[in-house]
Amino acid sequence: MSSERERFIDAWAERVKNGSDWRREHNAFIDAQVLQANAFYRRFLAEKGSERFKKLTGASDGFIRDMLRNTTAKSRLTEKDAVALGRVVKASLHKRHEEQRI
Amino acid sequence: MRTVDDLNLLARFTTDFCKIVEKHCPYVLVSGFLAISSGRSRGTEDIDMIIPKIPLKTFKALHKDLLRKYSLFHLEGLPLEEVYEYLQEANVRYVSKGQLIPNMEVKFAKNAVDEDNLRKRKKIALTGLDVYFAPIECAIAYKEHMGSQKDIEDARHLRKVYEDEIDAAELKRYARMIAREL
């Protein structure tokens, strides 16, 4: 670890230890990371489709269906995205149905 | 005084999840979440939870309860008995429905370190969270054993924040145990 990095870790830890007003900044930072990551995965799923998404994340069909349902319900998609996602869901459901029949 | 609104998304997810698990069996949170909950300025995708090797019947009730609010990330649709079998060897990840991050990586206790953490779990006031963590000394020893830059930075942060509370003998004991078991 570089000494500059060490100084940063130490300075921040000192601030936490001393109980100064770090929590609001910290929570905002963590929330931003979580929200950004989820937005990225939603975008990736919408743009690249469920197969690429599965390859990237290892997610199951059921999870993808949940994610799509949740995303659409929150109206975070454009109409074009929603149509594209609809196709993905339909394909995913169809594939599942076919697998179950076999 | 802190209220629930002061929680960040990771903390809220974890607190809600732990409340459900606690109804069925003890648990302990391990690895990086203690550092993050203690102010370390980094995010994470997953939170690690250890539970004892519970019987299938208990797991069935726990799993059913969890699925009201969460999905399985990569085993969705798998029969419960197979999820239970999977847990004997590997970890299972639960996510809030429709979200990829954060996820709770649940595993059965598999070695002496895990068992020890379950026995000595504790709540840590500074975190402001009503959840059980592994002892601070173990968290530091584990991070220093893992040795990546992220882990070393986590350990450095924990050492600094909790310097008045760390038991040096315990830290050494955990370092030895971890070197032997992992």
Side-chain angles (χ1 to χ4, degrees):
Chain A
M1 198 175 5
S2 73
S3 58
E4 190 187 342
R5 186 76 189 145
E6 284 175 14
R7 280 199 297 275
F8 169 78
I9 301 288
D10 288 351
W12 180 256
E14 194 64 33
R15 191 172 158 192
V16 172
K17 189 181 141 199
N18 291 336
S20 60
D21 184 22
W22 56 273
R23 209 176 287 272
R24 181 185 295 262
E25 194 182 329
H26 179 259
N27 286 348
F29 177 75
I30 299 286
D31 284 358
Q33 290 198 335
V34 171
L35 292 170
Q36 271 175 16
N38 276 315
F40 166 78
Y41 284 116
R42 281 199 198 92
R43 209 163 49 242
F44 187 92
L45 178 57
E47 287 174 12
K48 308 285 185 187
S50 61
E51 289 308 314
R52 283 285 306 281
F53 183 81
K54 259 193 271 187
K55 201 172 166 189
L56 175 71
T57 64
S60 63
D61 290 338
F63 172 83
I64 292 172
R65 273 199 302 281
D66 267 352
M67 190 161 180
L68 294 174
R69 195 180 303 127
N70 192 275
T71 304
T72 311
K74 285 185 177 169
S75 304
R76 283 180 177 154
L77 301 170
T78 63
E79 192 180 338
K80 190 181 161 200
D81 285 338
V83 170
L85 285 174
R87 283 200 202 102
V88 175
V89 179
K90 205 171 161 187
S92 173
L93 286 172
H94 178 72
K95 184 169 178 281
R96 192 77 172 178
H97 183 65
E98 288 298 309
E99 281 170 1
Q100 280 168 357
R101 277 178 50 191
I102 292 164
Chain B
M1 190 179 156
R2 298 187 69 217
T3 68
V4 76
D5 293 329
D6 295 325
L7 297 180
N8 62 48
L9 293 170
L10 287 179
R12 190 170 299 124
F13 168 81
T14 305
T15 305
D16 291 349
F17 195 95
C18 288
K19 268 185 203 154
I20 297 174
V21 175
E22 187 70 11
K23 284 192 275 178
H24 300 273
C25 64
Y27 70 87
V28 61
L29 299 175
V30 298
S31 198
F33 188 61
L34 173 59
I36 293 168
S37 305
S38 304
R40 170 92 158 91
S41 54
R42 72 169 179 87
T44 189
E45 293 182 356
D46 50 20
I47 295 120
D48 299 284
M49 172 183 276
I50 295 170
I51 60 174
K53 273 192 183 173
I54 50 179
L56 177 60
K57 192 179 167 191
T58 311
F59 179 70
K60 198 171 179 176
L62 166 64
H63 185 66
K64 198 175 157 194
D65 218 0
L66 287 171
L67 289 189
R68 289 180 218 276
K69 193 164 180 182
Y70 307 98
S71 309
L72 273 180
F73 176 60
H74 60 300
L75 301 173
E76 184 77 25
L78 207 67
L80 181 124
E81 288 76 8
E82 287 182 38
V83 176
Y84 183 74
E85 277 307 305
Y86 191 85
L87 255 176
Q88 306 295 323
E89 297 297 328
N91 306 342
V92 169
R93 284 196 277 168
Y94 291 90
V95 288
S96 293
K97 288 185 190 294
Q99 303 289 319
L100 197 75
I101 290 172
N103 55 71
M104 184 65 76
E105 208 167 326
V106 178
K107 69 167 190 166
F108 282 157
K110 290 187 177 70
N111 55 47
V113 181
D114 295 345
E115 300 285 354
D116 179 285
N117 281 183
L118 275 167
R119 273 196 311 275
K120 296 190 172 171
R121 66 182 190 150
K122 59 180 182 180
K123 293 180 179 174
I124 297 176
L126 179 68
T127 65
L129 300 179
D130 190 21
V131 296
Y132 288 101
F133 291 97
I136 297 163
E137 292 84 357
C138 187
I140 293 171
Y142 176 76
K143 288 285 174 184
E144 290 177 349
H145 175 81
M146 297 307 283
S148 72
Q149 182 172 328
K150 177 193 76 178
D151 293 319
I152 295 296
E153 288 180 0
D154 280 358
R156 191 179 180 92
H157 179 83
L158 289 172
R159 276 185 180 273
K160 192 98 184 175
V161 170
Y162 295 108
E163 65 187 349
D164 301 335
E165 300 171 43
I166 295 168
D167 179 332
E170 270 296 271
L171 186 53
K172 272 187 188 164
R173 186 179 75 82
Y174 278 118
R176 282 196 300 272
M177 189 192 282
I178 287 167
R180 193 175 62 236
E181 295 283 333
L182 302 185

